Structures are given as C-alpha cells and as structure tokens.
C-alpha cells in the first residue's frame, strides 16, 4: 500500500471510525461534512486516490459501497496446508466480542468492528469473527488478540475447533463427543478439559473455527 497525504489519511481514519460505529460506510456528503467542505468533488478525488493506492475498494454506482482493505495481515488456514492471500477483500464480516445462543443476527452492541475478506474464503452466509481471549488454545496457534473466523453451525465432529456457549459464556475449544459426555478440550497442558453431560442444556455449539487472522506488527 502506498503512503497517504495528511488529507487522505484523515479521510481513511474517518472511514474506519464510521464503519466501526455504524457498521456501514458513509456517504459522500457525510465525508464532506467531516472535512468541512461544501461539495463532494474533492471527496471523490480523495476516494479515487485511496482506491488507487490500495487502501479501499468501491463498487461503482452503488450506495454506501466503500470497503476497507485489510492491511498488514496474514490469514492462516487452520490445517496449515496453505496461506490465504489478503489481496482481494470485498466481503466485510463483523468482529464480535460476545456470542449469544438462539440469536439469528448478531446484536449491534456486540460488534467491535468489521474486517474484509476475499469472498472465496467465506464458506457460508452469517460468518463472523471472534477475538481470542486468554491462552487456552495456544498450542493450536491461537493467541490472545487473534481473530478466528467462525462458520455458524449447531453441530461439530470430533476434533473440530468450535466456539461454544458454556453456561452462557463463549469459549473456543476442541470438540469431542464421548460416551454420554461432551469434552471441550483446551490446547494448553496447564488447563483441564470442560466435561459436560451429552444431554445437558448448559452447552451450545455456535459454530466451527475455519480460519485464524492475526494482525502483523
């Protein structure tokens, strides 16, 4: 990505803040108001420069069609058979801080921001990111601050890494269904697995972890 002029950086920062706060991009007039200018011609020029330099993407003729290009980031598949390139990023997915059971859509108050990905990486609709907290999955390469891409699904196969609700709290663990028991196994030798009766209502599988995103310094 090419460096930005101070004015272009101001526009880019405003785009980020607006997207984080509202979940959708601003209009040309909203950007103009932020810049304290009356017309939108200068706004269009700034957006053209940002797009040319690789910081944003726009869909011609569409309303509120600006998306940010993720910068300084690598997306790793969990099976370590390859690395996804972050060079085509037309789909914006929410980053959530809280996961709730029985909620078809993520409440706005639980969304920390958005991250853009290549459409081919997103396997199904409704996918979202969850930020890793703690080091219970460190041996699987999931560190505090990492984002894991979740594909929503109510079931899991043995060995899948899932996000599950246990007593109302979201946790990322490796899933195993054993005789009359569900085992949620951490990838940290210092921690004990979570054992729950197979027919218990205290655990709900929210989705499967399909990729990991780690911002680079």
């Amino acid at each position: 990505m090419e460096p930005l002029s101070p004015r272009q950086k101001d526009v880019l920062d405003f785009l980020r803040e607006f997207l984080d706060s509202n979940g959708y991009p601003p209009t040309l007039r909203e950007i103009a108001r932020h810049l304290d200018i009356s017309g939108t011609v200068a706004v269009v020029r700034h957006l053209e420069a940002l797009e040319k330099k690789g910081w944003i993407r726009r869909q011609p003729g569409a309303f509120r069609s600006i998306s940010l290009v993720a910068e300084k980031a690598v997306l790793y598949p969990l099976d370590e058979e390859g690395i996804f390139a972050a060079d085509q990023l037309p789909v914006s997915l929410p980053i959530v801080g809280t996961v709730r059971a029985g909620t078809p859509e993520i409440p706005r108050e639980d969304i920390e921001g958005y991250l853009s990905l290549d459409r081919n990486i997103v396997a199904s609709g409704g996918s979202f990111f969850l930020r890793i907290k703690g080091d219970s999955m460190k041996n699987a390469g999931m560190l505090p601050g990492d984002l894991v891409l979740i594909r929503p699904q109510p079931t899991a196969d043995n060995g899948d890494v899932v996000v599950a609700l246990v007593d109302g709290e979201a946790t990322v663990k490796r899933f195993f269904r054993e005789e009359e028991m569900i085992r949620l196994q951490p990838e940290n030798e210092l921690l004990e697995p979570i054992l729950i009766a197979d027919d218990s209502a205290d655990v709900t599988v929210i989705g499967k972890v399909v990729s990991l995103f780690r911002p680079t310094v």
Side-chain angles (χ1 to χ4, degrees), residues 16 85 88 92 139:
R16 288 193 182 115
Q88 294 182 348
S92 292
N139 293 342

Side-chain angles (χ1 to χ4, degrees), residues 130-133 141-148 212-215:
L130 184 68
R131 193 177 300 280
I132 293 292
K133 300 176 182 178
M142 302 180 196
L143 305 178
D146 286 350
L147 299 175
V148 286
L212 180 139
F213 174 90
R214 178 173 300 155

Side-chain angles (χ1 to χ4, degrees), residues 190-208:
L190 299 179
L191 300 178
E192 296 295 326
I194 300 172
L195 301 176
I196 304 168
D198 193 9
D199 58 354
S200 173
D202 294 334
V203 60
T204 303
V205 174
I206 298 297
K208 178 180 177 180

Side-chain angles (χ1 to χ4, degrees), residues 15-207:
L15 291 175
R16 288 193 182 115
E17 293 171 2
F18 194 99
L19 277 164
D20 287 345
S21 299
N22 299 280
Y24 52 83
T27 63
L28 296 181
R29 294 194 180 279
E30 286 167 334
I31 299 173
R33 282 198 295 270
H34 168 74
L35 297 176
D36 197 22
I37 56 179
S38 57
T40 60
V41 175
V43 173
V44 171
R45 290 175 179 169
H46 289 315
L47 293 178
E48 287 175 345
L50 288 171
E51 188 170 29
K52 183 177 180 181
K53 292 182 177 182
W55 291 89
I56 67 170
R57 280 188 171 84
R58 297 179 298 159
Q59 183 178 345
F63 184 65
R64 295 188 186 274
S65 63
I66 305 168
S67 62
L68 301 181
V69 174
E71 63 208 82
K72 297 183 178 179
V74 180
L75 184 69
Y76 300 96
L78 295 183
D79 58 7
E80 298 182 357
E81 292 180 356
I83 297 178
F84 288 118
D87 57 348
Q88 294 182 348
L89 310 168
V91 181
S92 292
L93 300 178
I95 301 169
V96 303
T98 303
V99 178
R100 306 184 189 188
T103 305
E105 294 185 3
I106 300 168
R108 183 175 299 278
E109 61 268 23
D110 294 339
I111 297 176
E112 298 179 357
Y114 287 80
L115 186 66
S116 294
L117 288 181
D118 188 304
R119 188 177 300 274
N120 293 328
I121 298 173
V122 182
S124 63
S127 298
F128 62 93
F129 282 102
L130 184 68
R131 193 177 300 280
I132 293 292
K133 300 176 182 178
D135 60 359
S136 68
M137 296 296 287
K138 68 174 186 176
N139 293 342
M142 302 180 196
L143 305 178
D146 286 350
L147 299 175
V148 286
L149 179 61
I150 309 299
R151 183 177 65 213
Q153 58 185 62
T155 60
D157 295 328
N158 282 352
D160 285 348
V161 178
V162 303
V163 55
L165 281 181
V166 180
D167 293 331
E169 294 293 328
T171 185
V172 176
K173 297 289 185 291
R174 197 172 294 280
F175 177 92
F176 294 95
R177 188 181 299 277
E178 301 175 338
E179 186 175 353
E180 300 183 352
M181 188 72 63
I182 290 175
R183 172 165 57 94
L184 297 177
Q185 182 68 44
E187 294 282 355
N188 183 333
E189 64 279 2
L190 299 179
L191 300 178
E192 296 295 326
I194 300 172
L195 301 176
I196 304 168
D198 193 9
D199 58 354
S200 173
D202 294 334
V203 60
T204 303
V205 174
I206 298 297

